[in-house]
Amino acid sequence: SEVLMNTKWETSDLRWTTYPAEDPQWDEASGLDDEMNSVRTYVICTPESPSSYWLRTRWIPRKAATTLYVEIRFTMTECAGQNHRHCKETFNLFYYQSDSDEATPTHPSWMENPYTKVSTVAADHLLPTTCCREKRSNVKLMRLEPLRGAGLYLAFQSQGTCMALLSVRVFYRKCPSLRRSFASFPETVPHSLVEQVGVCVENAVTPPGEQSRPPSMLCGEDGQWVGQPSSSCACRPGYEAGDSDVRCRGEMGTDRSSTAETERCSFT
């Protein structure tokens, strides 16, 4: 996967934007993750208030991806025992697409439209109000698609929640460069299921004939290559497979560079 943002790697303040500016309830602080590593966190606790409090990341370039994944790690305190009728155990995740870093404290407007809602996120594990030692966190993975702008902002909306946002990771999946069956395929970013055309490795060619065509493979949206190449490459005459099916070498280890042009002619 290719990581576009990971707050666990940040060593200085995140300085994300909060709303309303005159009543900022999201507080940035240093905290500890499940592995006791120091991380930058955002915390909020407004169980007595029905108001909406927003938190927006910086602009995140999406590069070549049209599908992004957002992994959120957080803790949340249960409402039981707080005796606040506005208390909630969920928060909302939104995103806003743009071709440049154009956001300001007042733009885009802090509402569902122009933002796009991803999900109302609920906690699987709640922290009891009577315990301050338990730190069991929640991890949610969400998918954003289809994306078109050059980048985007993520926004978190809290309404009566007591929670700590421990980390946010944004990434996309890609199939790594691959050599298989004497063919080479480049690193590929999938848009659903993608057919990627490759080339034969050095000293290998596709078999002659009307039906011969460049090798191709399918790159799955999970970043994994699927199956085998659709057409095979073979070592040129005078060459044989190396230790595997990723390269061709001169027979018996001979240096065939001086006769390469001759063999190309004889093959055709």
PDB file of all heavy atoms in Angstrom, residues 134-170:
ATOM      1  N   GLU A 134      -8.283   1.694  31.791  1.00  0.00           N
ATOM      2  CA  GLU A 134      -8.518   0.929  30.566  1.00  0.00           C
ATOM      3  C   GLU A 134      -8.378   1.821  29.344  1.00  0.00           C
ATOM      4  O   GLU A 134      -8.940   2.914  29.284  1.00  0.00           O
ATOM      5  CB  GLU A 134      -9.917   0.319  30.599  1.00  0.00           C
ATOM      6  CG  GLU A 134     -10.206  -0.588  29.408  1.00  0.00           C
ATOM      7  CD  GLU A 134     -11.593  -1.199  29.477  1.00  0.00           C
ATOM      8  OE1 GLU A 134     -12.266  -1.000  30.511  1.00  0.00           O
ATOM      9  OE2 GLU A 134     -11.994  -1.851  28.518  1.00  0.00           O
ATOM     10  N   LYS A 135      -7.594   1.347  28.340  1.00  0.00           N
ATOM     11  CA  LYS A 135      -7.322   2.149  27.150  1.00  0.00           C
ATOM     12  C   LYS A 135      -7.625   1.386  25.863  1.00  0.00           C
ATOM     13  O   LYS A 135      -7.004   1.621  24.841  1.00  0.00           O
ATOM     14  CB  LYS A 135      -5.844   2.595  27.144  1.00  0.00           C
ATOM     15  CG  LYS A 135      -5.455   3.534  28.266  1.00  0.00           C
ATOM     16  CD  LYS A 135      -6.174   4.869  28.164  1.00  0.00           C
ATOM     17  CE  LYS A 135      -5.723   5.822  29.264  1.00  0.00           C
ATOM     18  NZ  LYS A 135      -6.444   7.108  29.203  1.00  0.00           N
ATOM     19  N   ARG A 136      -8.553   0.441  25.921  1.00  0.00           N
ATOM     20  CA  ARG A 136      -8.840  -0.355  24.735  1.00  0.00           C
ATOM     21  C   ARG A 136      -9.416   0.533  23.637  1.00  0.00           C
ATOM     22  O   ARG A 136     -10.407   1.233  23.847  1.00  0.00           O
ATOM     23  CB  ARG A 136      -9.819  -1.478  25.086  1.00  0.00           C
ATOM     24  CG  ARG A 136      -9.982  -2.500  23.967  1.00  0.00           C
ATOM     25  CD  ARG A 136     -10.865  -3.644  24.418  1.00  0.00           C
ATOM     26  NE  ARG A 136     -10.935  -4.661  23.377  1.00  0.00           N
ATOM     27  CZ  ARG A 136     -11.690  -5.749  23.470  1.00  0.00           C
ATOM     28  NH1 ARG A 136     -12.426  -5.955  24.552  1.00  0.00           N
ATOM     29  NH2 ARG A 136     -11.709  -6.625  22.484  1.00  0.00           N
ATOM     30  N   SER A 137      -8.794   0.486  22.469  1.00  0.00           N
ATOM     31  CA  SER A 137      -9.187   1.388  21.395  1.00  0.00           C
ATOM     32  C   SER A 137      -9.997   0.665  20.337  1.00  0.00           C
ATOM     33  O   SER A 137     -10.086  -0.568  20.305  1.00  0.00           O
ATOM     34  CB  SER A 137      -7.948   2.025  20.757  1.00  0.00           C
ATOM     35  OG  SER A 137      -7.107   1.038  20.192  1.00  0.00           O
ATOM     36  N   ASN A 138     -10.597   1.441  19.465  1.00  0.00           N
ATOM     37  CA  ASN A 138     -11.362   0.948  18.327  1.00  0.00           C
ATOM     38  C   ASN A 138     -10.590   1.249  17.046  1.00  0.00           C
ATOM     39  O   ASN A 138      -9.921   2.293  16.945  1.00  0.00           O
ATOM     40  CB  ASN A 138     -12.723   1.648  18.251  1.00  0.00           C
ATOM     41  CG  ASN A 138     -13.533   1.468  19.512  1.00  0.00           C
ATOM     42  OD1 ASN A 138     -14.286   0.521  19.658  1.00  0.00           O
ATOM     43  ND2 ASN A 138     -13.387   2.397  20.469  1.00  0.00           N
ATOM     44  N   VAL A 139     -10.703   0.366  16.065  1.00  0.00           N
ATOM     45  CA  VAL A 139     -10.090   0.587  14.761  1.00  0.00           C
ATOM     46  C   VAL A 139     -11.161   0.387  13.697  1.00  0.00           C
ATOM     47  O   VAL A 139     -11.805  -0.667  13.648  1.00  0.00           O
ATOM     48  CB  VAL A 139      -8.902  -0.363  14.505  1.00  0.00           C
ATOM     49  CG1 VAL A 139      -8.319  -0.106  13.120  1.00  0.00           C
ATOM     50  CG2 VAL A 139      -7.839  -0.202  15.569  1.00  0.00           C
ATOM     51  N   LYS A 140     -11.367   1.398  12.881  1.00  0.00           N
ATOM     52  CA  LYS A 140     -12.340   1.328  11.791  1.00  0.00           C
ATOM     53  C   LYS A 140     -11.628   1.612  10.471  1.00  0.00           C
ATOM     54  O   LYS A 140     -10.801   2.528  10.381  1.00  0.00           O
ATOM     55  CB  LYS A 140     -13.463   2.345  11.994  1.00  0.00           C
ATOM     56  CG  LYS A 140     -14.305   2.117  13.246  1.00  0.00           C
ATOM     57  CD  LYS A 140     -15.177   0.882  13.122  1.00  0.00           C
ATOM     58  CE  LYS A 140     -16.081   0.719  14.333  1.00  0.00           C
ATOM     59  NZ  LYS A 140     -16.988  -0.449  14.207  1.00  0.00           N
ATOM     60  N   LEU A 141     -11.957   0.809   9.457  1.00  0.00           N
ATOM     61  CA  LEU A 141     -11.403   1.003   8.118  1.00  0.00           C
ATOM     62  C   LEU A 141     -12.543   1.330   7.173  1.00  0.00           C
ATOM     63  O   LEU A 141     -13.490   0.563   7.045  1.00  0.00           O
ATOM     64  CB  LEU A 141     -10.672  -0.258   7.654  1.00  0.00           C
ATOM     65  CG  LEU A 141     -10.000  -0.167   6.276  1.00  0.00           C
ATOM     66  CD1 LEU A 141      -8.888   0.867   6.291  1.00  0.00           C
ATOM     67  CD2 LEU A 141      -9.468  -1.532   5.847  1.00  0.00           C
ATOM     68  N   MET A 142     -12.430   2.483   6.492  1.00  0.00           N
ATOM     69  CA  MET A 142     -13.478   2.929   5.584  1.00  0.00           C
ATOM     70  C   MET A 142     -12.904   3.203   4.210  1.00  0.00           C
ATOM     71  O   MET A 142     -11.730   3.533   4.073  1.00  0.00           O
ATOM     72  CB  MET A 142     -14.173   4.171   6.143  1.00  0.00           C
ATOM     73  CG  MET A 142     -15.237   3.832   7.163  1.00  0.00           C
ATOM     74  SD  MET A 142     -15.490   5.133   8.384  1.00  0.00           S
ATOM     75  CE  MET A 142     -14.041   4.931   9.393  1.00  0.00           C
ATOM     76  N   ARG A 143     -13.750   3.051   3.227  1.00  0.00           N
ATOM     77  CA  ARG A 143     -13.336   3.154   1.823  1.00  0.00           C
ATOM     78  C   ARG A 143     -13.983   4.373   1.184  1.00  0.00           C
ATOM     79  O   ARG A 143     -15.197   4.577   1.331  1.00  0.00           O
ATOM     80  CB  ARG A 143     -13.741   1.869   1.108  1.00  0.00           C
ATOM     81  CG  ARG A 143     -13.462   1.814  -0.368  1.00  0.00           C
ATOM     82  CD  ARG A 143     -13.725   0.396  -0.830  1.00  0.00           C
ATOM     83  NE  ARG A 143     -13.771   0.287  -2.267  1.00  0.00           N
ATOM     84  CZ  ARG A 143     -13.671  -0.859  -2.899  1.00  0.00           C
ATOM     85  NH1 ARG A 143     -13.548  -1.981  -2.209  1.00  0.00           N
ATOM     86  NH2 ARG A 143     -13.719  -0.905  -4.217  1.00  0.00           N
ATOM     87  N   LEU A 144     -13.200   5.158   0.460  1.00  0.00           N
ATOM     88  CA  LEU A 144     -13.684   6.358  -0.214  1.00  0.00           C
ATOM     89  C   LEU A 144     -13.534   6.156  -1.721  1.00  0.00           C
ATOM     90  O   LEU A 144     -12.409   5.946  -2.210  1.00  0.00           O
ATOM     91  CB  LEU A 144     -12.890   7.586   0.217  1.00  0.00           C
ATOM     92  CG  LEU A 144     -13.237   8.278   1.542  1.00  0.00           C
ATOM     93  CD1 LEU A 144     -13.210   7.325   2.717  1.00  0.00           C
ATOM     94  CD2 LEU A 144     -12.277   9.451   1.776  1.00  0.00           C
ATOM     95  N   GLU A 145     -14.629   6.241  -2.459  1.00  0.00           N
ATOM     96  CA  GLU A 145     -14.593   6.125  -3.913  1.00  0.00           C
ATOM     97  C   GLU A 145     -15.943   6.566  -4.489  1.00  0.00           C
ATOM     98  O   GLU A 145     -16.949   6.559  -3.768  1.00  0.00           O
ATOM     99  CB  GLU A 145     -14.304   4.679  -4.326  1.00  0.00           C
ATOM    100  CG  GLU A 145     -15.379   3.683  -3.932  1.00  0.00           C
ATOM    101  CD  GLU A 145     -15.155   2.299  -4.524  1.00  0.00           C
ATOM    102  OE1 GLU A 145     -14.231   2.111  -5.344  1.00  0.00           O
ATOM    103  OE2 GLU A 145     -15.934   1.400  -4.157  1.00  0.00           O
ATOM    104  N   PRO A 146     -15.984   6.924  -5.791  1.00  0.00           N
ATOM    105  CA  PRO A 146     -14.812   7.184  -6.629  1.00  0.00           C
ATOM    106  C   PRO A 146     -14.322   8.608  -6.399  1.00  0.00           C
ATOM    107  O   PRO A 146     -15.146   9.527  -6.212  1.00  0.00           O
ATOM    108  CB  PRO A 146     -15.365   7.007  -8.038  1.00  0.00           C
ATOM    109  CG  PRO A 146     -16.811   7.425  -7.909  1.00  0.00           C
ATOM    110  CD  PRO A 146     -17.251   7.042  -6.528  1.00  0.00           C
ATOM    111  N   LEU A 147     -13.029   8.818  -6.408  1.00  0.00           N
ATOM    112  CA  LEU A 147     -12.440  10.128  -6.172  1.00  0.00           C
ATOM    113  C   LEU A 147     -11.960  10.715  -7.488  1.00  0.00           C
ATOM    114  O   LEU A 147     -11.438  10.006  -8.343  1.00  0.00           O
ATOM    115  CB  LEU A 147     -11.279  10.009  -5.183  1.00  0.00           C
ATOM    116  CG  LEU A 147     -11.651   9.425  -3.813  1.00  0.00           C
ATOM    117  CD1 LEU A 147     -10.414   9.254  -2.954  1.00  0.00           C
ATOM    118  CD2 LEU A 147     -12.679  10.299  -3.114  1.00  0.00           C
ATOM    119  N   ARG A 148     -12.115  12.024  -7.619  1.00  0.00           N
ATOM    120  CA  ARG A 148     -11.776  12.675  -8.886  1.00  0.00           C
ATOM    121  C   ARG A 148     -10.837  13.857  -8.709  1.00  0.00           C
ATOM    122  O   ARG A 148     -10.021  14.122  -9.570  1.00  0.00           O
ATOM    123  CB  ARG A 148     -13.055  13.133  -9.601  1.00  0.00           C
ATOM    124  CG  ARG A 148     -13.995  11.984  -9.973  1.00  0.00           C
ATOM    125  CD  ARG A 148     -15.238  12.487 -10.674  1.00  0.00           C
ATOM    126  NE  ARG A 148     -16.151  11.397 -11.033  1.00  0.00           N
ATOM    127  CZ  ARG A 148     -17.048  10.886 -10.236  1.00  0.00           C
ATOM    128  NH1 ARG A 148     -17.194  11.371  -9.003  1.00  0.00           N
ATOM    129  NH2 ARG A 148     -17.831   9.900 -10.627  1.00  0.00           N
ATOM    130  N   GLY A 149     -10.974  14.605  -7.635  1.00  0.00           N
ATOM    131  CA  GLY A 149     -10.117  15.764  -7.449  1.00  0.00           C
ATOM    132  C   GLY A 149      -8.671  15.369  -7.205  1.00  0.00           C
ATOM    133  O   GLY A 149      -8.345  14.202  -6.962  1.00  0.00           O
ATOM    134  N   ALA A 150      -7.787  16.339  -7.259  1.00  0.00           N
ATOM    135  CA  ALA A 150      -6.368  16.072  -7.027  1.00  0.00           C
ATOM    136  C   ALA A 150      -6.086  15.708  -5.575  1.00  0.00           C
ATOM    137  O   ALA A 150      -5.048  15.120  -5.266  1.00  0.00           O
ATOM    138  CB  ALA A 150      -5.529  17.293  -7.432  1.00  0.00           C
ATOM    139  N   GLY A 151      -6.996  16.058  -4.679  1.00  0.00           N
ATOM    140  CA  GLY A 151      -6.810  15.741  -3.269  1.00  0.00           C
ATOM    141  C   GLY A 151      -8.103  15.916  -2.504  1.00  0.00           C
ATOM    142  O   GLY A 151      -9.167  16.181  -3.084  1.00  0.00           O
ATOM    143  N   LEU A 152      -8.009  15.804  -1.196  1.00  0.00           N
ATOM    144  CA  LEU A 152      -9.208  15.898  -0.369  1.00  0.00           C
ATOM    145  C   LEU A 152      -8.842  16.246   1.064  1.00  0.00           C
ATOM    146  O   LEU A 152      -7.676  16.129   1.475  1.00  0.00           O
ATOM    147  CB  LEU A 152      -9.988  14.588  -0.391  1.00  0.00           C
ATOM    148  CG  LEU A 152      -9.419  13.403   0.404  1.00  0.00           C
ATOM    149  CD1 LEU A 152     -10.519  12.380   0.680  1.00  0.00           C
ATOM    150  CD2 LEU A 152      -8.265  12.734  -0.316  1.00  0.00           C
ATOM    151  N   TYR A 153      -9.851  16.661   1.803  1.00  0.00           N
ATOM    152  CA  TYR A 153      -9.772  16.861   3.248  1.00  0.00           C
ATOM    153  C   TYR A 153     -10.691  15.849   3.917  1.00  0.00           C
ATOM    154  O   TYR A 153     -11.753  15.525   3.388  1.00  0.00           O
ATOM    155  CB  TYR A 153     -10.240  18.265   3.647  1.00  0.00           C
ATOM    156  CG  TYR A 153      -9.513  19.411   2.983  1.00  0.00           C
ATOM    157  CD1 TYR A 153      -9.940  19.896   1.746  1.00  0.00           C
ATOM    158  CD2 TYR A 153      -8.432  20.027   3.599  1.00  0.00           C
ATOM    159  CE1 TYR A 153      -9.298  20.966   1.134  1.00  0.00           C
ATOM    160  CE2 TYR A 153      -7.785  21.108   2.998  1.00  0.00           C
ATOM    161  CZ  TYR A 153      -8.224  21.564   1.761  1.00  0.00           C
ATOM    162  OH  TYR A 153      -7.590  22.612   1.164  1.00  0.00           O
ATOM    163  N   LEU A 154     -10.295  15.359   5.074  1.00  0.00           N
ATOM    164  CA  LEU A 154     -11.189  14.585   5.924  1.00  0.00           C
ATOM    165  C   LEU A 154     -11.718  15.492   7.014  1.00  0.00           C
ATOM    166  O   LEU A 154     -11.010  16.397   7.484  1.00  0.00           O
ATOM    167  CB  LEU A 154     -10.453  13.405   6.565  1.00  0.00           C
ATOM    168  CG  LEU A 154      -9.939  12.312   5.635  1.00  0.00           C
ATOM    169  CD1 LEU A 154      -9.213  11.247   6.452  1.00  0.00           C
ATOM    170  CD2 LEU A 154     -11.065  11.683   4.826  1.00  0.00           C
ATOM    171  N   ALA A 155     -12.950  15.250   7.429  1.00  0.00           N
ATOM    172  CA  ALA A 155     -13.539  16.049   8.500  1.00  0.00           C
ATOM    173  C   ALA A 155     -14.289  15.127   9.463  1.00  0.00           C
ATOM    174  O   ALA A 155     -14.977  14.195   9.038  1.00  0.00           O
ATOM    175  CB  ALA A 155     -14.485  17.106   7.930  1.00  0.00           C
ATOM    176  N   PHE A 156     -14.139  15.405  10.750  1.00  0.00           N
ATOM    177  CA  PHE A 156     -14.786  14.633  11.806  1.00  0.00           C
ATOM    178  C   PHE A 156     -15.793  15.541  12.509  1.00  0.00           C
ATOM    179  O   PHE A 156     -15.451  16.660  12.902  1.00  0.00           O
ATOM    180  CB  PHE A 156     -13.751  14.124  12.806  1.00  0.00           C
ATOM    181  CG  PHE A 156     -12.636  13.332  12.162  1.00  0.00           C
ATOM    182  CD1 PHE A 156     -11.532  13.977  11.625  1.00  0.00           C
ATOM    183  CD2 PHE A 156     -12.701  11.958  12.084  1.00  0.00           C
ATOM    184  CE1 PHE A 156     -10.508  13.267  11.025  1.00  0.00           C
ATOM    185  CE2 PHE A 156     -11.686  11.228  11.485  1.00  0.00           C
ATOM    186  CZ  PHE A 156     -10.586  11.883  10.956  1.00  0.00           C
ATOM    187  N   GLN A 157     -17.013  15.051  12.669  1.00  0.00           N
ATOM    188  CA  GLN A 157     -18.062  15.821  13.313  1.00  0.00           C
ATOM    189  C   GLN A 157     -18.493  15.109  14.593  1.00  0.00           C
ATOM    190  O   GLN A 157     -18.896  13.946  14.564  1.00  0.00           O
ATOM    191  CB  GLN A 157     -19.267  15.982  12.384  1.00  0.00           C
ATOM    192  CG  GLN A 157     -20.389  16.814  12.992  1.00  0.00           C
ATOM    193  CD  GLN A 157     -21.687  16.661  12.225  1.00  0.00           C
ATOM    194  OE1 GLN A 157     -21.995  15.577  11.736  1.00  0.00           O
ATOM    195  NE2 GLN A 157     -22.454  17.749  12.115  1.00  0.00           N
ATOM    196  N   SER A 158     -18.380  15.811  15.692  1.00  0.00           N
ATOM    197  CA  SER A 158     -18.774  15.269  16.987  1.00  0.00           C
ATOM    198  C   SER A 158     -19.983  16.023  17.508  1.00  0.00           C
ATOM    199  O   SER A 158     -20.039  17.247  17.458  1.00  0.00           O
ATOM    200  CB  SER A 158     -17.614  15.391  17.981  1.00  0.00           C
ATOM    201  OG  SER A 158     -18.043  15.087  19.283  1.00  0.00           O
ATOM    202  N   GLN A 159     -20.959  15.281  18.021  1.00  0.00           N
ATOM    203  CA  GLN A 159     -22.161  15.866  18.624  1.00  0.00           C
ATOM    204  C   GLN A 159     -22.420  15.152  19.948  1.00  0.00           C
ATOM    205  O   GLN A 159     -23.019  14.082  19.973  1.00  0.00           O
ATOM    206  CB  GLN A 159     -23.359  15.727  17.682  1.00  0.00           C
ATOM    207  CG  GLN A 159     -23.236  16.514  16.388  1.00  0.00           C
ATOM    208  CD  GLN A 159     -24.379  16.221  15.423  1.00  0.00           C
ATOM    209  OE1 GLN A 159     -24.514  15.117  14.933  1.00  0.00           O
ATOM    210  NE2 GLN A 159     -25.199  17.232  15.157  1.00  0.00           N
ATOM    211  N   GLY A 160     -21.947  15.702  21.035  1.00  0.00           N
ATOM    212  CA  GLY A 160     -22.167  15.113  22.342  1.00  0.00           C
ATOM    213  C   GLY A 160     -21.288  13.918  22.655  1.00  0.00           C
ATOM    214  O   GLY A 160     -21.631  13.086  23.494  1.00  0.00           O
ATOM    215  N   THR A 161     -20.136  13.813  22.002  1.00  0.00           N
ATOM    216  CA  THR A 161     -19.259  12.652  22.163  1.00  0.00           C
ATOM    217  C   THR A 161     -18.108  12.946  23.112  1.00  0.00           C
ATOM    218  O   THR A 161     -17.587  14.056  23.149  1.00  0.00           O
ATOM    219  CB  THR A 161     -18.680  12.237  20.802  1.00  0.00           C
ATOM    220  OG1 THR A 161     -19.729  12.156  19.836  1.00  0.00           O
ATOM    221  CG2 THR A 161     -17.962  10.898  20.889  1.00  0.00           C
ATOM    222  N   CYS A 162     -17.698  11.928  23.862  1.00  0.00           N
ATOM    223  CA  CYS A 162     -16.452  11.963  24.632  1.00  0.00           C
ATOM    224  C   CYS A 162     -15.512  10.951  23.993  1.00  0.00           C
ATOM    225  O   CYS A 162     -15.720   9.732  24.138  1.00  0.00           O
ATOM    226  CB  CYS A 162     -16.691  11.598  26.104  1.00  0.00           C
ATOM    227  SG  CYS A 162     -17.130  12.993  27.143  1.00  0.00           S
ATOM    228  N   MET A 163     -14.491  11.432  23.283  1.00  0.00           N
ATOM    229  CA  MET A 163     -13.640  10.512  22.531  1.00  0.00           C
ATOM    230  C   MET A 163     -12.238  11.090  22.366  1.00  0.00           C
ATOM    231  O   MET A 163     -12.007  12.291  22.563  1.00  0.00           O
ATOM    232  CB  MET A 163     -14.234  10.231  21.157  1.00  0.00           C
ATOM    233  CG  MET A 163     -14.331  11.465  20.262  1.00  0.00           C
ATOM    234  SD  MET A 163     -14.896  11.070  18.581  1.00  0.00           S
ATOM    235  CE  MET A 163     -13.455  10.193  17.942  1.00  0.00           C
ATOM    236  N   ALA A 164     -11.328  10.211  22.003  1.00  0.00           N
ATOM    237  CA  ALA A 164      -9.963  10.605  21.656  1.00  0.00           C
ATOM    238  C   ALA A 164      -9.638  10.000  20.300  1.00  0.00           C
ATOM    239  O   ALA A 164      -9.788   8.788  20.094  1.00  0.00           O
ATOM    240  CB  ALA A 164      -8.975  10.125  22.709  1.00  0.00           C
ATOM    241  N   LEU A 165      -9.227  10.831  19.371  1.00  0.00           N
ATOM    242  CA  LEU A 165      -8.830  10.386  18.039  1.00  0.00           C
ATOM    243  C   LEU A 165      -7.333  10.100  18.088  1.00  0.00           C
ATOM    244  O   LEU A 165      -6.506  11.012  18.097  1.00  0.00           O
ATOM    245  CB  LEU A 165      -9.153  11.491  17.025  1.00  0.00           C
ATOM    246  CG  LEU A 165      -9.149  11.153  15.551  1.00  0.00           C
ATOM    247  CD1 LEU A 165     -10.151  10.053  15.229  1.00  0.00           C
ATOM    248  CD2 LEU A 165      -9.445  12.409  14.736  1.00  0.00           C
ATOM    249  N   LEU A 166      -6.972   8.811  18.154  1.00  0.00           N
ATOM    250  CA  LEU A 166      -5.589   8.417  18.406  1.00  0.00           C
ATOM    251  C   LEU A 166      -4.719   8.456  17.156  1.00  0.00           C
ATOM    252  O   LEU A 166      -3.548   8.838  17.225  1.00  0.00           O
ATOM    253  CB  LEU A 166      -5.545   7.013  19.022  1.00  0.00           C
ATOM    254  CG  LEU A 166      -6.307   6.827  20.337  1.00  0.00           C
ATOM    255  CD1 LEU A 166      -6.165   5.396  20.823  1.00  0.00           C
ATOM    256  CD2 LEU A 166      -5.811   7.804  21.394  1.00  0.00           C
ATOM    257  N   SER A 167      -5.250   8.027  16.035  1.00  0.00           N
ATOM    258  CA  SER A 167      -4.465   8.070  14.800  1.00  0.00           C
ATOM    259  C   SER A 167      -5.389   7.975  13.605  1.00  0.00           C
ATOM    260  O   SER A 167      -6.471   7.389  13.673  1.00  0.00           O
ATOM    261  CB  SER A 167      -3.429   6.934  14.750  1.00  0.00           C
ATOM    262  OG  SER A 167      -4.053   5.670  14.644  1.00  0.00           O
ATOM    263  N   VAL A 168      -4.919   8.559  12.500  1.00  0.00           N
ATOM    264  CA  VAL A 168      -5.637   8.495  11.228  1.00  0.00           C
ATOM    265  C   VAL A 168      -4.619   8.162  10.142  1.00  0.00           C
ATOM    266  O   VAL A 168      -3.590   8.844  10.016  1.00  0.00           O
ATOM    267  CB  VAL A 168      -6.337   9.825  10.890  1.00  0.00           C
ATOM    268  CG1 VAL A 168      -7.092   9.697   9.562  1.00  0.00           C
ATOM    269  CG2 VAL A 168      -7.284  10.246  12.003  1.00  0.00           C
ATOM    270  N   ARG A 169      -4.899   7.116   9.393  1.00  0.00           N
ATOM    271  CA  ARG A 169      -4.008   6.700   8.299  1.00  0.00           C
ATOM    272  C   ARG A 169      -4.816   6.658   7.005  1.00  0.00           C
ATOM    273  O   ARG A 169      -5.877   6.047   6.947  1.00  0.00           O
ATOM    274  CB  ARG A 169      -3.403   5.326   8.582  1.00  0.00           C
ATOM    275  CG  ARG A 169      -2.433   4.825   7.509  1.00  0.00           C
ATOM    276  CD  ARG A 169      -1.674   3.602   7.988  1.00  0.00           C
ATOM    277  NE  ARG A 169      -2.538   2.439   8.090  1.00  0.00           N
ATOM    278  CZ  ARG A 169      -2.522   1.403   7.227  1.00  0.00           C
ATOM    279  NH1 ARG A 169      -1.693   1.415   6.198  1.00  0.00           N
ATOM    280  NH2 ARG A 169      -3.329   0.372   7.410  1.00  0.00           N
ATOM    281  N   VAL A 170      -4.307   7.323   5.971  1.00  0.00           N
ATOM    282  CA  VAL A 170      -4.950   7.348   4.665  1.00  0.00           C
ATOM    283  C   VAL A 170      -3.995   6.684   3.671  1.00  0.00           C
ATOM    284  O   VAL A 170      -2.824   7.062   3.586  1.00  0.00           O
ATOM    285  CB  VAL A 170      -5.270   8.786   4.223  1.00  0.00           C
ATOM    286  CG1 VAL A 170      -5.959   8.784   2.848  1.00  0.00           C
ATOM    287  CG2 VAL A 170      -6.142   9.485   5.261  1.00  0.00           C
TER     288      VAL A 170
END
